[in-house]
Amino acid sequence: MAVQAAEIPQNTTSAVDLGPAVALSCRECGERFPLGPVFACESCFGPLEVAYELPSGDVEELRRAIEAGPKNIWRYAPLLPVPADVASHPSTNPGLTQLVKADRLAKELGVTGGLYVKDDSGNPTHSFKDRVVAIAVEAARAFGFTTLSCSSTGNLAGAVGAAAARAGFRSCVFIPHDLEQGKVVMAAVYGGELVGIEGTYDDVNRFCSELIGDPLGEGWGFVNVNLRPYYGEGSKTLAYEICEQLGWEIPDQIVIPVASGSQLTKIDKGLKELIKLGLVADKPYKIFGAQAEGCSPVSTAYKAGHDVVRPQKPKTIAKSLAIGNPADGPYVLDITRRTGGAVEDVDDEQVVDAIKLLARTEGIFAETAGGVTVGVTRKLIENGQLDPALTTVVLNTGDGLKTLDAVAPTTGPTATIRPDLDAFRAAGLAG
């Protein structure tokens, strides 16, 4: 949320230019720190997030300025931790992806209040990760880093590789050794270094945390570790775009996939900022989290009524969501409960069915995370937790071409025939 500069102690001033960002603030104890490549509070070890002095003045003028801005996330530069001239920097320029009115999917699911799919597969590397990386690149530039790095379940690795190539950084990214081949190729093709780690994503993340503290990691900006407070802010642009594309209105319900949980928490933060600025009317909204059954630590905690998220060992086809120890898990629980939402999960078979349903009804081929979100939406409706009479937005965060293995065993030619009309008639395909 916005903070006034006068509220920030003098020792938190910083020479870096990150636009309206004025400090880092601890989510737990509220202590503030100078803008820098840190992610944990020195006092309580809570996570840090960016605090702002957001624009004030004529709301209509701000709205017009946004609408006249670049056709990407930089239209929201006055609300992000980036310099004012960010649009002139070399970038993959993600964002402003389609908000698809999904009437045929709505009919299948029994939604009458309006159903939309925010399809982020249209980003430069075909996932929402391009948004968060674009913000992290600006922080890396401000802090003088020369190498971009990350721990990744796949999509982030590709986004970092592409953004580093475009912006002139060296890149070295780390992934679990058993990722989908499509994501491995996409991460490697940009010419950076790609390192497979034997183990799960959580093992990869631990390794990266050790590397940051070692001289080997000097000059490295890990977008989802020491640059995490800035990186996470990229997800707010999903909230901004959804509301702008709905005519500056907040949807009644949003269903969001949960891996680390950062995306969900930042979408909520973005909605609250829009309300505070007066860009949208204040109204109740519900946020729902979606997980795969084979890696559902937040869903399990939600259903048990717990506030603590117990780690799990992932075993699911939805590898982009396979984070067994989600950093923002407790905050996902807080937000879904506060807004009247829920956290639900679906099994691998339901994920595949949902991928095919979205493709068949709306022509959107989602990766497994999108299948999780659509599958959970269907389950929430069946359970009576999501109101089909309200306006609902479902997120698809990536392209199905990256996770072909999930649907390949049950998807293929309808028939294989000889090249003649009699064979075509015999196959019963003539209509």
Side-chain angles (χ1 to χ4, degrees):
M1 296 301 294
V3 293
Q4 299 300 315
E7 297 174 349
I8 302 167
Q10 291 300 310
N11 64 359
T12 64
T13 57
S14 174
V16 299
D17 176 14
L18 290 176
V22 291
L24 295 177
S25 177
C26 177
R27 280 197 212 170
E28 293 296 324
C29 72
E31 185 170 351
R32 292 183 173 88
F33 302 89
L35 296 172
V38 291
F39 60 97
C41 176
E42 294 177 2
S43 299
C44 72
F45 303 107
L48 299 180
E49 63 179 1
V50 179
Y52 295 92
E53 186 175 359
L54 291 175
S56 59
D58 190 329
V59 172
E60 289 304 319
E61 183 179 341
L62 175 59
R63 185 180 287 123
R64 286 193 296 270
I66 290 172
E67 292 172 347
K71 302 298 184 183
N72 52 56
I73 61 170
W74 305 135
R75 67 201 285 112
Y76 307 110
L79 314 181
L80 297 169
V82 296
D85 65 346
V86 64
S88 66
H89 296 177
S91 167
T92 59
N93 296 324
L96 214 60
T97 54
Q98 292 187 86
L99 183 68
V100 178
K101 184 74 159 52
D103 291 337
R104 296 188 70 231
L105 177 62
K107 185 175 181 180
E108 289 271 353
L109 298 181
V111 175
T112 58
L115 180 64
Y116 298 82
V117 176
K118 181 58 171 170
D119 184 15
D120 244 26
S121 66
N123 276 310
T125 68
H126 308 287
S127 90
F128 90 96
K129 292 295 188 180
D130 291 313
R131 297 174 182 270
V132 292
V133 171
I135 307 295
V137 165
E138 295 306 313
R141 183 179 284 114
F143 301 136
F145 289 123
T146 56
T147 297
L148 284 182
S149 187
C150 69
S151 52
S152 175
T153 57
N155 283 325
L156 181 58
V160 168
R166 176 75 180 110
F169 285 83
R170 171 181 178 256
S171 69
C172 182
V173 300
F174 301 89
I175 59 173
H177 69 286
D178 60 349
L179 281 188
E180 301 98 333
Q181 186 63 19
K183 290 180 180 177
V184 172
V185 171
M186 192 163 196
V189 74
Y190 299 108
E193 293 167 272
L194 179 67
V195 181
I197 300 291
E198 296 176 358
T200 66
Y201 170 81
D202 297 295
D203 296 317
V204 179
N205 205 33
R206 281 192 294 271
F207 170 79
C208 288
S209 296
E210 292 178 14
L211 183 55
I212 288 174
D214 190 275
L216 288 170
E218 186 175 348
W220 288 40
F222 286 80
V223 300
N224 55 344
V225 189
N226 58 355
L227 295 176
R228 186 176 181 84
Y230 313 94
Y231 156 95
E233 296 295 284
S235 289
K236 293 193 311 181
T237 61
L238 281 161
Y240 300 159
E241 287 179 21
I242 288 169
C243 291
E244 182 182 353
Q245 290 168 322
L246 289 175
W248 294 105
E249 291 188 8
I250 298 176
D252 299 311
Q253 303 170 135
I254 308 177
V255 187
I256 304 167
V258 173
S260 73
S262 175
Q263 184 184 67
L264 186 148
T265 65
K266 291 305 186 290
I267 287 175
D268 179 62
K269 183 181 182 185
L271 295 176
K272 291 191 291 184
E273 287 176 351
L274 292 179
I275 292 170
K276 188 176 182 71
L277 287 164
L279 287 168
V280 298
D282 191 358
K283 58 171 277 188
Y285 58 87
K286 295 182 179 181
I287 291 183
F288 297 87
Q291 292 205 291
E293 185 180 283
C295 186
S296 54
V298 186
S299 174
T300 300
Y302 175 84
K303 292 176 183 178
H306 296 161
D307 296 324
V308 176
V309 177
R310 296 184 60 183
Q312 294 181 357
K313 186 173 182 179
K315 187 178 181 182
T316 173
I317 61 171
K319 293 183 180 180
S320 62
L321 302 183
I323 296 180
N325 188 17
D328 281 19
Y331 301 106
V332 170
L333 294 174
D334 290 344
I335 290 167
T336 53
R337 288 167 177 161
R338 170 176 58 78
T339 63
V343 189
E344 186 55 270
D345 56 78
V346 285
D347 63 31
D348 285 355
E349 183 177 349
Q350 291 169 311
V351 172
V352 173
D353 287 346
I355 291 172
K356 292 181 175 181
L357 173 64
L358 180 59
R360 174 171 57 82
T361 57
E362 301 298 339
I364 297 172
F365 184 18
E367 72 161 19
T368 48
V372 168
T373 311
V374 173
V376 163
T377 300
R378 177 162 53 186
K379 191 171 181 179
L380 290 168
I381 293 169
E382 292 171 351
N383 293 346
Q385 293 172 287
L386 189 145
D387 189 342
L390 298 179
T391 302
T392 304
V393 174
V394 176
L395 267 64
N396 172 44
T397 53
D399 194 322
L401 292 174
K402 295 185 177 188
T403 56
L404 290 173
D405 289 352
V407 294
T410 57
T411 307
T414 304
T416 301
I417 63 171
R418 299 186 310 277
D420 63 65
L421 294 178
D422 289 341
F424 182 62
R425 291 189 187 94
L429 302 174

